[in-house]
Amino acid sequence: MTESLRPSTVLPSSRKPYKVHTIDGIELVVEVAEPLNPSRGALLMCHPNPTGGGMMDSHVYKKAANRLPALADLTIVRFNTRGTSSEQGTSTGEYGATKSEKFDVEAAIEFAFNECEPDNLWVMGWSFAWPAGRDSPPTGRPVGHPVSRPTGWLGHPVSRPAGWLAGWLVGWLVGWFGLHV
């Protein structure tokens, strides 16, 4: 690709907004960015803690959705957890400190498999998203382990090698695909 990537670069993809319902009746705001070529898999991006400003439109996730479909043929699924607002809209419900957000992650995983039909799905998140994704039950389909910052939830250490993997993955995405902050 010869085009220079700038902070506001948006590369071609098919973007669609969705509303997804959880098992407990919450309506989630979701966006799917699919590559124009056949997809090689999907990343389900769980945002950071909304009490600290986390949302589906966090700068790294928004840039990933604007670039990775074209650069890596990956489908990007982003969503706002219950009670979270962003440019894309507000999901219904109230913040549940990861207790009820596990239903949001479960609904997003099911949606990603049913709507996007990926061969591979990786759940990605940090901070607040770690326990919500970690505690979601298996779907009977291949889902990559959630990844997180090394500190996990509220400073507790991560019991898997996901911490270093998350740092590497986010660093790789930022460096390789020009997701400069």
Side-chain angles (χ1 to χ4, degrees), residues 46 48-49 61 124-131 146-168 170:
C46 303
N49 196 328
Y61 285 177
M124 182 176 174
W126 73 86
S127 172
F128 156 86
W130 170 249
V147 294
S148 172
R149 292 177 64 170
T151 55
W153 178 243
L154 297 177
H156 297 293
V158 176
S159 60
R160 311 176 191 186
W164 68 265
L165 176 61
W168 174 84
V170 171

Side-chain angles (χ1 to χ4, degrees), residues 102 105-107 109-110 113 121 123 132-146 160:
K102 70 177 186 173
V105 176
E106 291 169 7
I109 289 171
E110 282 302 314
F113 274 121
L121 175 66
V123 178
R134 179 197 64 212
D135 296 338
S136 293
T139 63
R141 301 177 190 168
V143 178
H145 289 291
R160 311 176 191 186

